[in-house]
């Protein structure tokens, strides 16, 4: 399984099609992958496991989300005012 994830990450170019978000507007896809990445990191840290599988969400949101949004959300998380549930 870990090898499969590593192989996918090596071949990664941009976010693949996600059937949960079939429309042209990818705002929700961006938001969901941002949340999934931080939830995954939190869960892996709690287990004491390697967070390598979380890199998939990181790469997807980095390729879809505008940098200004990510910067703002990161600031909100640091301040403790982030509106999402992580």
């Amino acid at each position: 399984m870990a090898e499969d994830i590593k192989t996918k990450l090596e071949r990664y170019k941009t976010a693949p099609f996600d059937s949960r978000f079939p429309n042209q507007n990818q705002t929700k896809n961006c938001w969901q992958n941002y949340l999934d990445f931080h939830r995954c990191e939190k869960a892996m840290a709690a287990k004491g496991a390697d967070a390598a599988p979380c890199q998939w969400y990181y790469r997807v949101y980095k390729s879809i989300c505008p940098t200004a949004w990510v910067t703002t959300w990161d600031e909100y998380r640091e301040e403790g005012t982030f509106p999402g549930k992580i």
Side-chain angles (χ1 to χ4, degrees), residues 11-28:
R11 291 184 288 138
Y12 181 85
K13 289 185 174 46
T14 188
F17 176 75
D18 188 339
S19 61
R20 297 176 298 169
F21 310 103
N23 300 322
Q24 186 173 0
N25 185 345
Q26 293 294 300
T27 304
K28 290 180 183 178

Side-chain angles (χ1 to χ4, degrees), residues 33-58:
N33 279 288
Y34 183 84
L35 290 178
D36 288 345
F37 170 70
H38 291 288
R39 287 176 183 160
C40 179
E41 273 197 328
K42 184 177 178 181
M44 293 299 204
K47 292 180 183 178
D50 181 28
C54 303
Q55 289 303 307
W56 175 259
Y57 300 115
Y58 175 80

Side-chain angles (χ1 to χ4, degrees), residues 1-9 44 52-54 56-57:
M1 172 98 178
E3 290 300 315
D4 187 38
I5 291 171
K6 288 180 183 178
T7 305
K8 285 183 179 180
L9 285 174
M44 293 299 204
C54 303
W56 175 259
Y57 300 115

